[in-house]
Amino acid sequence: MAEELTPENPDTETPETEEAPIKTRKNGLYPGVSDELAENMKSGWADTELHGLEPIAQASHTADRRAALSAAFPGERLVIPAGNLKTRSNDTEYAFRASTEYTYLTGDQTQDGVLVLEPRPRGAAGHNATIYLLPRSNRENGEFWLDGQGELWVGRRHSLAEAEQLLGIPAKDVRELAAALKVAPGPVRNVRGHDAGIEAALTDKVTAERDEELRVRLSEARAVKDAFEIGELQKAVDSTVRGFEDVVRILDKAEATSERYIEGTFFLRARVEGNDIGYGSICAAGPHATTLHWVRNNGDVRRGELLLLDAGVETHTLYTADVTRTLPIDGRYNEIQRKIYDAVYASQEAGIAAVRPGAKYRDFHDASQRVLAEKLVEWGLLEGPVARVLELGLQRRWTLHGTGHMLGLDVHDCAAARTEAYVDGTLEPGMCLTVEPGLYFQADDLTVPEEYRGIGVRIEDDILVTEDGNRNLSAGLPRQADEVEAWMAELLKQV
Ligand code: GLY
Ligand code: MN
Ligand code: MN
C-alpha cells in the first residue's frame, strides 16, 4: 500500500486556505506542497454528482423499523452510530463492518455514520430521522488528496444529497454532530460500544441502564424478519451452499496443505458473492471437530477422518448464513463415523420438526437433546433411564452447546433480547433460527471407547418459521449420510 504523505520537515509550507489547515489522521500538517501545486489541484475536476437515484431496496422496510422504534421511545432523542474503523496495527485497520443496529435502521454501512431520531418539536408525536455522514471531500481546501479520509485515498463517497435519495433519510455533515449533541436539551439514549466520540459527547446525558433498554429493544425488534430480510437470508444461504460445494472440490488440495485451504476456498466465495464471511469459518478436520469454535484452521486434513465445516456467507446487506456439515474427507463415512453421524441426524430431524409457530422456543432444543440422550443410553455411555439423564443434563458432556439460536444480521442474532422474549418465548412466523445438534467425543475422553475418541459431528441448518410450520433455507445441502456421500461423489466427478 502507498504511504500517506508524512512530514519530512514540519516547518515547510502547508496548503493555504481560509479554514484550519488539513491534518493527517496521524500527526501533522502536510509538508512539501507548493502554492502552485495546491492551486493546481483545486480545479480541473468534473462534476460527478449523481441525480435521480432510486432508493435502496430495503428503504421502505427501514422506514417501518424506525417508526416502530420511534413509537417505543416517545419524546427521546435516539442516537445509533455505525461505528468507527478499528486499528489492527500501527496505521492499518480491520475491514469496517457497520453496527447491526445502524444497518438495520438505515440500510447504510458507512463508517462513522450516525442515525439520530429527534423528537418532533412542540410535543408533536414521533421523531424526525437524520443521518449524519461525512460529505464528499472538499477540493478547494485540498482535503480530498491531502487528508487520510480524502476521497483520493479511500474512494468516492456519496454526497449528502445522494445519500438522502438512496436511504430516504435527510443527511447532514457528521462533523457537526458531536458538538450539537453536547448542547442539545432533553432525554437521550445511545447505542453504546460503537463510537467513542459520540459517547464522549453524551457522557453527562445518558445512563447505562437507559442505553441498554434501547439496545434490548432493537435486539427484540429483529426477532421477526420482514420479507426483505428473508430474501437476504436465503441469498446468504445459497452462496454458502456454493461455498460448501467449492470446498468438496478442493479436498485433495487441503490434504496436500492444511485446513487453511478450506478456509481460503470458502472465503473466496464469500468475498466474490457477498460482503464477507459472517463469522470466523470453523474448518475442523479430524479431532479438531471436537473443539466447538476451532478457527485456527492450521491442522492436517487426512483421509479417513471427518471434516466439520461450520461457515456462512454474509451478504452485501450484512445478513449471514450459519451452516455446518460434517463430511467424510475421503467421501465415505466409516462405521463408527456413520453411527455417530446418524444419531446427530436423527436429533436434528426431531429438532427441525419441533419448529413451528406457537411452539415454545425451547421445544426444538428439548426434542434434539432427547434423541441424543436416548442414543447415549443405547450405546451404553450413560446409564438410563433417559428421563433421569435429561433431568441431570448428563448428556451434555458430549452435546456441549445449545441446539440453536436466532440468525439475521448477527450470526447470534437478537443476543440482547430479554429471556422472556427469546429463550422463554414462543416461535412466530418470520423468525429464523439454526438447528444444530452435535456430539463431540474429545480425543482424551477416557469415559468412552477408544473408537469414539476424536470424533465430532455437528449438522446445522437455517430454519425459517412459516405460517404452517417451517422452511429449511439450507435444504440445498444434503444432510442424510447416503445423500451426503452421493453429493460428494457427484461433485468430485466434476473436478
Ligand atoms: N458458527 C457458530 C455457531 O454455530 O453458533
Ligand atoms: Mn450456529
Ligand atoms: Mn455454525
Side-chain angles (χ1 to χ4, degrees):
M1 63 195 286
E3 254 189 77
E4 290 164 32
L5 299 176
T6 50
E8 289 150 6
N9 172 356
D11 295 331
T12 52
E13 312 92 304
T14 57
E16 281 175 20
T17 62
E18 305 276 328
E19 302 159 28
I22 302 300
K23 291 210 172 90
T24 69
R25 263 181 318 189
K26 291 179 242 164
N27 53 357
L29 306 176
Y30 289 101
V33 177
S34 66
D35 290 350
E36 288 77 4
L37 178 59
E39 197 55 36
N40 175 282
M41 288 296 279
K42 286 182 184 175
S43 60
W45 309 106
D47 178 0
T48 62
E49 181 73 10
L50 302 170
H51 302 279
L53 294 173
E54 290 293 319
I56 56 173
Q58 67 271 49
S60 67
H61 294 291
T62 59
D64 291 345
R65 298 171 200 164
R66 292 192 300 274
L69 187 66
S70 165
F73 296 100
E76 301 187 46
R77 181 177 298 107
L78 307 175
V79 181
I80 301 103
N84 318 123
L85 281 176
K86 292 183 175 62
T87 299
R88 180 172 186 274
S89 179
N90 186 30
D91 60 353
T92 59
E93 287 107 5
Y94 291 103
F96 178 72
R97 202 280 196 181
S99 77
T100 285
E101 294 89 350
Y102 175 88
T103 306
Y104 176 73
L105 291 169
T106 66
D108 185 52
Q109 299 176 33
T110 308
Q111 70 197 45
D112 305 327
V114 184
L115 173 72
V116 178
L117 297 187
E118 188 75 26
R120 295 206 169 106
R122 290 177 290 283
H127 292 73
N128 293 324
T130 306
I131 193 158
Y132 289 84
L133 299 167
L134 194 58
R136 303 251 0 239
S137 294
N138 188 324
R139 300 205 174 204
E140 275 296 305
N141 69 6
E143 75 177 355
F144 86 103
W145 69 291
L146 293 174
D147 186 86
Q149 284 304 312
E151 288 178 297
L152 187 139
W153 287 94
V154 300
R156 188 191 189 282
R157 289 188 278 275
H158 283 300
S159 70
L160 297 184
E162 290 168 358
E164 286 184 3
Q165 295 167 61
L166 289 166
L167 304 174
I169 309 171
K172 288 189 178 164
D173 188 336
V174 71
R175 291 172 294 191
E176 294 155 15
L177 180 60
L181 287 174
K182 253 187 195 155
V183 296
V188 56
R189 299 182 196 242
N190 172 38
V191 178
R192 295 189 178 198
H194 302 310
D195 191 320
I198 295 295
E199 282 175 31
L202 292 171
T203 187
D204 298 330
K205 297 171 177 285
V206 292
T207 67
E209 293 73 21
R210 287 167 39 79
D211 284 357
E212 181 63 9
E213 285 167 11
L214 173 59
R215 197 171 76 95
V216 167
R217 175 79 198 190
L218 281 168
S219 209
E220 293 178 5
R222 299 201 309 275
V224 174
K225 272 62 184 176
D226 59 37
F228 175 82
E229 295 182 292
I230 292 167
E232 291 301 296
L233 283 165
Q234 186 67 65
K235 276 192 217 166
V237 169
D238 291 347
S239 287
T240 299
V241 169
R242 288 188 281 276
F244 275 65
E245 291 169 352
D246 296 339
V247 165
V248 170
R249 290 195 194 94
I250 57 78
L251 281 174
D252 58 337
K253 296 194 176 69
E255 280 177 52
T257 53
S258 78
E259 295 163 339
R260 287 286 161 90
Y261 209 100
I262 293 164
E263 181 184 324
T265 299
F266 189 83
F267 184 64
L268 178 64
R269 179 66 68 171
R271 285 294 283 171
V272 169
E273 293 195 1
N275 177 60
D276 206 334
I277 47 174
Y279 55 92
S281 300
I282 298 165
C283 308
H288 291 158
T290 65
T291 301
L292 295 180
H293 285 174
W294 175 260
V295 291
R296 284 181 227 159
N297 299 338
N298 57 359
D300 291 337
V301 176
R302 287 180 287 259
R303 296 181 82 71
E305 295 187 332
L306 296 175
L307 167 70
L308 186 157
L309 175 60
D310 181 345
V313 172
E314 178 186 74
T315 61
H316 294 292
T317 56
L318 306 189
Y319 288 84
T320 190
D322 181 11
V323 175
T324 306
R325 290 293 181 268
T326 306
L327 309 173
I329 290 162
D330 59 13
R332 307 283 294 207
Y333 296 100
N334 68 26
E335 201 180 325
I336 182 72
Q337 290 166 349
R338 183 178 274 256
K339 172 174 154 176
I340 296 168
Y341 187 93
D342 285 350
V344 175
Y345 174 71
S347 162
Q348 198 203 23
E349 284 281 273
I352 293 173
V355 175
R356 57 179 171 272
K360 304 304 284 177
Y361 177 84
R362 288 183 195 274
D363 288 352
F364 78 94
H365 172 71
D366 292 344
S368 279
Q369 289 289 304
R370 170 167 290 280
V371 171
L372 294 176
E374 285 167 0
K375 295 289 177 188
L376 291 163
V377 170
E378 186 186 312
W379 298 341
L381 303 187
L382 286 173
E383 196 183 319
V386 169
R388 171 183 163 273
V389 168
L390 288 168
E391 194 184 323
L392 299 177
L394 300 177
Q395 79 285 0
R396 291 176 57 184
R397 181 179 176 102
W398 300 292
T399 67
L400 295 183
H401 54 79
T403 308
H405 51 84
M406 296 291 187
L407 183 71
L409 282 165
D410 284 328
V411 61
H412 298 152
D413 210 31
C414 313
R418 292 163 302 156
T419 307
E420 59 264 41
Y422 190 170
V423 287
D424 286 345
T426 301
L427 296 181
E428 292 176 44
M431 290 180 169
C432 186
L433 50 128
T434 67
V435 178
E436 50 173 309
L439 280 175
Y440 310 90
F441 298 102
Q442 306 300 317
D444 59 355
D445 187 343
L446 302 181
T447 69
V448 298
E450 206 168 337
E451 58 176 357
Y452 287 67
R453 294 180 202 160
I455 295 180
V457 173
R458 175 161 68 253
I459 314 174
E460 176 171 28
D461 283 80
D462 300 343
I463 310 294
L464 175 71
V465 184
T466 59
E467 293 293 338
D468 55 2
N470 70 61
R471 187 163 89 233
N472 184 348
L473 301 181
S474 40
L477 285 176
R479 295 184 291 123
Q480 194 274 334
D482 289 334
E483 289 172 12
V484 170
E485 289 181 352
W487 167 78
M488 290 182 73
E490 191 57 35
L491 288 168
L492 291 167
K493 243 195 275 172
Q494 298 161 15
V495 174

